[in-house]
Amino acid sequence: MTNHLFGTWQNQSLEGIFAECRELAENADFPTVKRWRENGGKVLGHFQVYFPEEIAHAAGMLPLKMRGAPVEPTHSDSRFGSYLCSILKTSLELVLSNRVELDMFVTHPICDAARNLAAVWGRNYSYPCQILYLPQNANSKASAEYLCGEYERVKGDIEAVTGTKVTDEALRNSLIVYNENRRLLRQLYEIKRKQPWLVTGFEAYLLMTVGGMILREEHNELLKTAIPLIEARPAKRQDKIRVVFEGGFCEQPPLDLIRAISQSCYIVDDDLLIGLRWILEDVPLEGDLLMNMADAYLEKSSYSPVQHDARKPKEKMLLQRIADSGAEAAIITAAKMCEPGLEDQVTYTKALDEKGIPYFVGEFEENMTSFDSMEIQLETFTENLIFS
Amino acid sequence: MTEITADEFVGRGNKEGADLFREWFDGLAEHAKRGEGAAYVFVMGSMAELLHVFDFPLVLPEITSLQTAVRRVADKYLAEAEDYGYSPDICGYVKADMAVQLRGGDHPMGRIPKPAIAVMTNACNTYIKWAEIWERMYGTPLFVIDVPATRQAGGQFQPGSADFERDRKYVEAQIRELIPLCEKVSGKKFDIDRLRETLKYANDMNTGWKRVLELNKSKPSLFNAVTDGTVYLGVSNNLRGTEKGSTFFKNLVEEMEYKAAHGIGTQIVEKYRLGFVGVPCYPIFRRFSEMFTEWGGNFVHSTYLNFASGGGSMGYEYDVNRPIESLAEGFLISVREAMDNMFHQDRVVIDWVKNYDLDGVVYHPIKSCRTVSTGLADGRRAMMAATDVPSLFIESDMMDKRVVSEAQMKNRADAFFEGLASRREMAKISS
């Protein structure tokens, strides 16, 4: 089966690569998934934030990050009530409108709304639609073993769907691919932190976001091509405020919003699609591989409002992220109706107030189309900081 | 032997429930006055059975919060929390409680003690976010008992299977980790015999609760699941694992059996038997109920009574000879049942249509609670595809009057009953 689901980025200039990534990211028809299916491939759709994609990859499936799309929820509206975030509706819309065809769907108890998706999906589709329980008591001594058992269970379901046994060798090979992917993304973020004038937050996001729609082998190739081009870029340092963007762990802000922020600020770190960068170190390739993955999820991982871990008080983690990236300010956002995000917004702002770190508070929706007001507010915010 | 009269039985549960509720609030106020902390717990998996062993008074903030709505002061509390920074789009219970905390425990029913420890399940993710607020305000130790629920519809792991045992072991390990934390916070040693005692009382309550719900299959039905049921639910939570709770449910079963045997129903002439899915509308609690009772509609069951009792409704009985293992098993089964009543509510309702002989189902999704509400529209579609029973879908809130449109709800309810009446007439004609 071909690894090139998204061939158009090849032999392009850096700007051309960004343009191709943008085109793919905005294409709600998910052409890479269609291409995969045309070749007989099976697809596992998994809802945000983190999913151990290596297991599906090892079984020869395409793991697809279900994180909504800029589409109208015309079919899915009747499956949901009001007062819900947009990503739920548009994710379901993608399958109801036949833009995306799946063979398996997995959601997580990351929030009260997302957890319902397994049942909603399951009432509408006959393929396996389930919850993967990622531990919400990350501090229990029993959590890693439990999570390993969950991974084992999901592996069994994946094997049943694909008819392919996930061998240790296949899983090890997938871990090698994913370890490399995480290393490359860390490299990209290192550039953002150290030389943000070489790659804007928007450009880095474009490179990263397509990773959820293609095989990681291809994403690795893309990153290995783009990163040296970024490093060699003759870009000049500008007098922009360095900010951390917080609030993009699940529903994603519209591309134009990220672009607008990137125009006035250097986004030196963020939690956009944090699931792609959840594991902070290489997962060891020896021993019990599923246990290694479970251990990495719990012990060598990032933070987000949807994981409770007494060792990771969110506001302290944010302050650390700000310190590590040398940011001068923070943009604290939440998706509309995102309860975990909105609740932590208060926690973050109180901590930032206490430390005297300036911040900008905003709310977004994936389908929003007007950014004028936010752009003006943001410009005022950054000008105040520059001239204060 | 003196013959027991209807006067002694009928309505006893409501009266005793109200008295116990008052007593619970008074007890909390006494604790607050002495400056003593409480265990903050939630209705879906309160772990009351274990916490009583350490003599923690229990604060159930979902209940204290909803009382601000019933007592019509929620708007002030919500506004205070929003002024503090909380969004209008988050759970109203959280905001009302936040205001109670900002007011130093001031509550319309008496002072609420501060949290000394918070124990929560993942049955509702907001529980965890909510408790994190207390952690920041007071440094309260938090303990999440992570309960694996049904992974996919129809795929419940059953006792005896390896999958079930894996889940049970995980819950048991967490309970064993919670015990030393309780010892540390309370300064009291764990006493397994006291646990046996609280489990025994919880058994009485669980079996009683299950029986009471079964008895409402009677015609006419014996109680209104939304109004009377909420009183019983309050006791099932506030007094879980206590002697008083045990006595209350024994008495309640006695009352309901008497009513069933004598054909005594609720206060209305029952024309329509309804199922209720969701959480009641507390800001207009009485009027909300009247929208249905005025037409002769009675709620004979509700998913609320199942999930907000933490699954106590399924009547699980602990084995007091192996208390911790059995607590883990019962906790897993009951909390899972609570979750199934929210996520897979279509299956529950389809079952009621037959077993409770329903004429209609009312879905009431609310802005504040996405756990309960997210899947209701889809669940309703599934229910309608599987049965021939009409349904009503009205959205509002359990706390926030700003999103409760009473006149609009009434219009919808009226139209629903007109439909039911006309359906009944048509059935008569065609038979």
Side-chain angles (χ1 to χ4, degrees):
Chain A
M1 198 160 289
T2 177
N3 286 345
H4 289 109
L5 299 173
F6 170 46
T8 52
W9 64 270
Q10 289 175 317
N11 304 317
Q12 295 270 0
S13 65
L14 186 58
E15 273 63 31
I17 291 174
F18 291 142
E20 292 297 332
C21 287
R22 176 166 193 161
E23 191 142 319
L24 178 60
E26 286 187 323
N27 191 336
D29 285 328
F30 288 78
T32 56
V33 180
K34 285 197 170 58
R35 227 161 276 146
W36 178 257
R37 293 197 74 86
E38 279 161 14
N39 292 323
K42 298 208 167 183
V43 182
L44 183 150
H46 60 88
F47 195 72
Q48 300 268 50
V49 172
Y50 171 80
F51 179 76
E53 286 195 355
E54 289 92 327
I55 303 173
H57 182 270
M61 283 186 109
L62 174 68
L64 173 68
K65 211 165 179 37
M66 299 295 288
R67 42 91 188 283
V71 294
E72 276 302 309
T74 47
H75 300 79
S76 61
D77 247 359
S78 65
R79 266 81 174 182
F80 294 110
S82 314
Y83 313 125
L84 291 170
C85 60
S86 176
I87 182 176
L88 286 193
K89 296 178 185 174
T90 61
S91 293
L92 186 66
E93 183 66 24
L94 291 178
V95 287
L96 290 176
S97 62
N98 298 317
R99 288 180 171 96
V100 166
E101 203 179 330
L102 302 179
D103 300 284
M104 182 169 172
F105 174 72
V106 182
T107 188
H108 316 282
I110 56 163
C111 74
D112 299 329
R115 194 177 192 178
N116 270 281
L117 283 181
V120 172
W121 226 280
R123 284 191 284 263
N124 289 279
Y125 290 95
S126 57
Y127 51 75
C129 302
Q130 61 172 276
I131 293 179
L132 166 65
Y133 273 91
L134 298 168
Q136 279 290 24
N137 183 350
N139 307 116
S140 170
K141 288 192 177 76
S143 292
E145 190 185 335
Y146 166 69
L147 181 57
C148 183
E150 275 295 276
Y151 286 174
E152 191 70 56
R153 181 183 64 74
V154 169
K155 178 163 81 85
D157 291 344
I158 288 172
E159 287 171 342
V161 167
T162 58
T164 304
K165 184 92 183 141
V166 175
T167 62
D168 260 14
E169 191 192 349
L171 190 55
R172 192 171 293 110
N173 286 337
S174 296
L175 280 167
I176 290 168
V177 171
Y178 276 78
N179 278 344
E180 181 175 29
N181 190 251
R182 287 185 280 261
R183 269 199 301 272
L184 289 164
L185 288 174
R186 286 201 297 272
Q187 211 179 325
L188 182 64
Y189 268 67
E190 190 67 7
I191 298 172
K192 275 174 65 168
R193 274 192 290 274
K194 292 192 171 152
Q195 296 167 289
W197 52 91
L198 292 182
V199 61
T200 68
F202 176 60
E203 291 165 341
Y205 181 77
L206 289 175
L207 284 180
M208 182 173 64
T209 193
V210 297
M213 308 172 197
I214 57 178
L215 284 178
R216 288 307 159 87
E217 288 91 334
E218 186 175 8
H219 195 224
N220 287 347
E221 265 186 68
L222 169 71
L223 292 171
K224 278 193 279 189
T225 305
I227 288 172
L229 294 174
I230 290 169
E231 285 171 330
R233 211 176 190 184
K236 283 187 184 163
R237 188 175 187 158
Q238 289 178 297
D239 188 16
K240 284 184 178 177
I241 295 290
R242 296 168 64 96
V243 298
V244 159
F245 180 94
E246 193 83 16
F249 56 93
C250 181
E251 182 167 324
Q252 298 300 289
L255 287 178
D256 282 328
L257 177 62
I258 304 174
R259 190 184 53 80
I261 296 170
S262 297
Q263 277 172 350
S264 50
C265 308
Y266 285 138
I267 302 175
V268 288
D269 207 344
D270 56 62
D271 66 345
L272 293 159
L273 292 171
I274 193 70
L276 289 174
R277 293 170 290 120
W278 184 257
I279 309 263
L280 300 173
E281 297 171 23
D282 283 3
V283 178
L285 303 172
E286 303 303 322
D288 183 338
L289 300 179
L290 289 183
M291 185 53 111
N292 294 348
M293 290 171 69
D295 187 65
Y297 174 83
L298 292 161
E299 303 298 327
K300 297 163 189 165
S301 49
S302 187
Y303 70 97
S304 94
V306 298
Q307 190 205 34
H308 175 74
D309 186 335
R311 299 165 300 182
K312 298 177 186 173
K314 259 75 80 176
E315 66 276 38
K316 289 193 180 140
M317 300 301 285
L318 171 63
L319 292 174
Q320 194 63 49
R321 184 173 272 164
I322 290 170
D324 290 347
S325 60
E328 300 148 271
I331 296 176
I332 306 296
T333 62
K336 186 143 187 64
M337 297 290 171
C338 169
E339 200 149 15
L342 289 166
E343 278 155 2
D344 275 356
Q345 218 172 37
V346 182
T347 308
Y348 290 145
T349 56
K350 301 286 178 204
L352 293 169
D353 278 337
E354 206 172 288
K355 295 284 177 193
I357 298 170
Y359 58 86
F360 176 90
V361 176
E363 202 176 59
F364 66 83
E365 200 167 18
E366 61 181 5
N367 281 341
M368 69 195 273
T369 50
S370 171
F371 311 100
D372 296 351
S373 158
M374 194 181 236
E375 270 184 67
I376 291 167
Q377 289 173 40
L378 202 56
E379 274 167 25
T380 311
F381 172 70
T382 55
E383 279 167 16
N384 276 343
L385 290 181
I386 290 169
F387 299 112
S388 66
Chain B
M1 196 170 159
T2 320
E3 177 104 357
I4 296 169
T5 65
D7 287 348
E8 289 174 64
F9 273 127
V10 177
R12 185 174 68 181
N14 281 3
K15 187 183 174 311
E16 283 183 359
D19 290 346
L20 289 169
F21 201 68
R22 180 74 259 173
E23 206 177 286
W24 175 62
F25 263 103
D26 291 345
L28 291 181
E30 281 301 311
H31 275 280
K33 206 167 145 188
R34 291 197 297 271
E36 293 171 3
Y40 274 42
V41 298
F42 297 91
V43 300
M44 290 185 287
S46 68
M47 221 1 102
E49 296 89 331
L50 182 68
L51 293 166
H52 283 310
V53 171
F54 300 94
D55 294 321
F56 285 114
L58 301 187
V59 169
L60 288 110
E62 288 151 296
I63 296 179
T64 54
S65 287
L66 78 83
Q67 280 298 319
T68 65
V70 171
R71 282 159 205 283
R72 295 169 186 270
V73 293
D75 50 344
K76 292 190 187 71
Y77 283 67
L78 295 179
E80 281 176 27
E82 287 172 17
D83 286 347
Y84 187 78
Y86 288 99
S87 165
D89 294 336
I90 70 157
C91 170
Y93 281 171
V94 172
K95 285 185 288 187
D97 174 67
M98 183 65 197
V100 168
Q101 304 306 331
L102 290 171
R103 288 166 170 230
D106 182 31
H107 184 279
M109 289 192 74
R111 192 160 296 279
I112 308 295
K114 287 179 183 168
I117 184 173
V119 179
M120 72 233 67
T121 63
N122 58 318
C124 165
N125 284 282
T126 299
Y127 288 170
I128 303 169
K129 305 305 295 178
W130 193 345
E132 286 177 350
I133 296 175
W134 306 320
E135 185 183 36
R136 279 159 184 85
M137 283 185 93
Y138 305 113
T140 308
L142 312 185
F143 196 97
V144 182
I145 303 188
D146 192 18
V147 184
T150 302
R151 274 51 165 209
Q152 61 185 345
Q156 235 184 30
F157 300 151
Q158 295 306 325
S161 72
D163 286 324
F164 182 86
E165 186 53 21
R166 185 169 61 86
D167 287 356
R168 196 202 62 75
K169 267 175 65 184
Y170 179 44
V171 173
E172 183 183 329
Q174 294 175 83
I175 291 172
R176 291 189 187 279
E177 288 169 344
L178 174 60
I179 290 171
L181 178 65
C182 290
E183 288 183 319
K184 189 176 162 196
V185 174
S186 69
K188 291 180 180 166
K189 287 295 287 177
F190 174 62
D191 178 347
I192 201 155
D193 289 326
R194 282 203 64 194
L195 179 62
R196 287 194 173 94
E197 188 181 53
T198 61
L199 293 181
K200 188 176 77 62
Y201 292 138
N203 280 348
D204 296 340
M205 296 177 77
N206 286 348
T207 51
W209 194 216
K210 186 180 179 203
R211 179 71 182 137
V212 165
L213 295 176
E214 279 169 356
L215 281 165
N216 222 26
K217 287 176 186 166
S218 301
K219 289 185 178 177
S221 53
L222 313 174
F223 65 92
N224 183 312
V226 170
T227 50
D228 309 309
T230 300
V231 176
Y232 313 150
L233 194 56
V235 179
S236 88
N237 279 294
N238 300 344
L239 295 169
R240 185 171 181 79
T242 66
E243 188 175 4
K244 282 182 182 170
S246 157
T247 305
F248 174 84
F249 272 93
K250 284 176 183 166
N251 288 348
L252 189 61
V253 170
E254 198 177 34
E255 175 187 340
M256 293 304 158
E257 280 179 342
Y258 179 88
K259 287 173 78 173
H262 292 83
I264 302 169
T266 55
Q267 290 174 348
I268 62 162
V269 176
E270 184 174 285
K271 285 189 191 165
Y272 304 104
R273 297 168 65 84
L274 306 174
F276 181 80
V277 186
V279 178
C281 182
Y282 287 116
I284 53 163
F285 191 46
R286 185 177 55 81
R287 281 295 305 137
F288 181 76
S289 168
E290 285 170 357
M291 285 177 200
F292 302 93
T293 55
E294 278 168 356
W295 284 88
N298 189 48
F299 292 109
V300 301
H301 209 332
S302 78
T303 53
Y304 192 48
L305 297 187
N306 288 352
F307 64 76
S309 65
S313 54
M314 74 177 309
Y316 182 86
E317 288 186 64
Y318 299 112
D319 177 355
V320 296
N321 294 315
R322 43 181 201 101
I324 295 180
E325 296 83 351
S326 183
L327 175 60
E329 181 175 288
F331 197 76
L332 171 62
I333 288 173
S334 305
V335 176
R336 186 175 73 180
E337 172 78 359
M339 291 190 248
D340 282 354
N341 270 272
M342 298 185 293
F343 307 135
H344 304 293
Q345 87 302 122
D346 54 313
R347 294 173 168 244
V348 178
V349 177
I350 290 165
D351 176 61
W352 290 345
V353 167
K354 188 176 158 205
N355 291 323
Y356 283 79
D357 195 16
L358 297 189
D359 298 301
V361 181
V362 176
Y363 289 81
H364 182 236
I366 49 172
K367 180 179 180 184
S368 270
C369 185
R370 292 166 185 102
T371 317
V372 176
S373 307
T374 300
L376 292 196
D378 186 71
R380 181 194 185 206
R381 288 172 66 104
M383 189 280 291
M384 285 166 66
T387 74
D388 187 31
V389 170
S391 60
L392 171 67
F393 193 83
I394 38 173
E395 293 184 296
S396 76
D397 200 50
M398 85 289 206
M399 288 294 287
D400 194 342
K401 272 189 90 167
R402 291 170 294 189
V403 288
V404 176
S405 173
E406 191 176 329
Q408 206 173 45
M409 288 163 83
K410 171 106 177 66
N411 278 344
R412 301 276 305 278
D414 288 350
F416 172 62
F417 280 107
E418 280 160 15
L420 287 181
S422 133
R423 192 182 161 90
R424 200 164 270 183
E425 287 306 311
M426 294 297 285
K428 270 189 211 161
I429 294 165
S430 60
S431 63

